Amino acid sequence: MPHLPVRLTIGQLAERSGVPPTTLRFYEERGLITAERTSGNQRRYHRNTLRRLAFISAAQRVGLTLTQIHGALATLPDGRTPTAADWARLSEQWRTELDTRIDALQRLRDRLSECIGCGCLSLKSCTLQNHDDVLAAQGPGAPLLKPAREGGV
């Protein structure tokens, strides 16, 4: 693979990162990445933007919103590219939220398996059925599917 230049065009950055140019422009508008402009007003991205895009991608895969990601990147001095130590520090802050999501997904998986596994496909013996609205005291939503930290049962 040829050596990457220090400054990349939007096409080069898109090709190398796998992120479409439209998304790169969107990220730039949202302040997640930055570009310099040439005298012809063309974008040029520093090569370290690739690492920043990898950080954004990893954060999205764990379920973070772009607003949360922007907030995390804003904690870095002078908008620098995140390091492995930065990722470790920032990801630790998200652990509780991730644990809550994992709990919710496991509850959903387990309850749906019971429902599908019974074979009845009716509400007569459904484990998710809320007969006579007895779970109303648990608050709004579906308490059988909520994570325990959010009042799920």
Side-chain angles (χ1 to χ4, degrees):
M1 172 179 250
H3 180 67
L4 285 175
V6 174
R7 302 276 183 250
L8 304 170
T9 66
I10 194 167
Q12 290 169 320
L13 186 64
E15 182 179 346
R16 181 63 181 91
S17 68
V19 177
T22 54
T23 303
L24 294 173
R25 287 189 286 275
F26 177 75
Y27 286 171
E28 189 178 343
E29 289 171 13
R30 297 285 303 259
L32 295 166
I33 62 175
T34 59
E36 298 171 359
R37 296 293 182 137
T38 66
S39 59
N41 204 28
Q42 294 176 332
R43 290 174 169 87
R44 292 294 184 265
Y45 298 91
H46 194 278
R47 183 176 43 213
N48 66 14
T49 304
L50 287 167
R51 185 177 300 144
R52 202 168 176 92
L53 289 170
F55 178 91
I56 293 167
S57 178
Q60 285 180 309
R61 278 195 300 271
V62 297
L64 298 177
T65 66
L66 289 180
T67 301
Q68 291 170 311
I69 296 167
H70 183 273
L73 290 170
T75 67
L76 301 176
D78 300 322
R80 72 169 163 73
T81 299
T83 63
D86 293 327
W87 176 255
R89 177 181 54 83
L90 293 169
S91 63
E92 185 61 36
Q93 297 171 9
W94 303 320
R95 185 172 296 279
T96 300
E97 182 177 345
L98 292 174
D99 288 343
T100 300
R101 289 180 187 185
I102 290 168
D103 178 54
L105 288 170
Q106 287 175 332
R107 287 167 170 269
L108 179 61
R109 178 203 60 211
D110 294 346
R111 297 244 163 74
L112 287 177
S113 295
E114 291 169 5
C115 182
I116 293 169
C118 76
C120 73
L121 298 178
S122 74
L123 294 178
K124 291 181 183 177
S125 61
C126 179
T127 59
L128 297 176
Q129 177 70 7
N130 182 13
H131 295 284
D132 300 319
D133 201 22
V134 295
L135 297 174
Q138 299 290 326
L144 292 172
L145 299 178
K146 283 183 182 177
R149 287 191 174 125
E150 295 176 6
V153 291

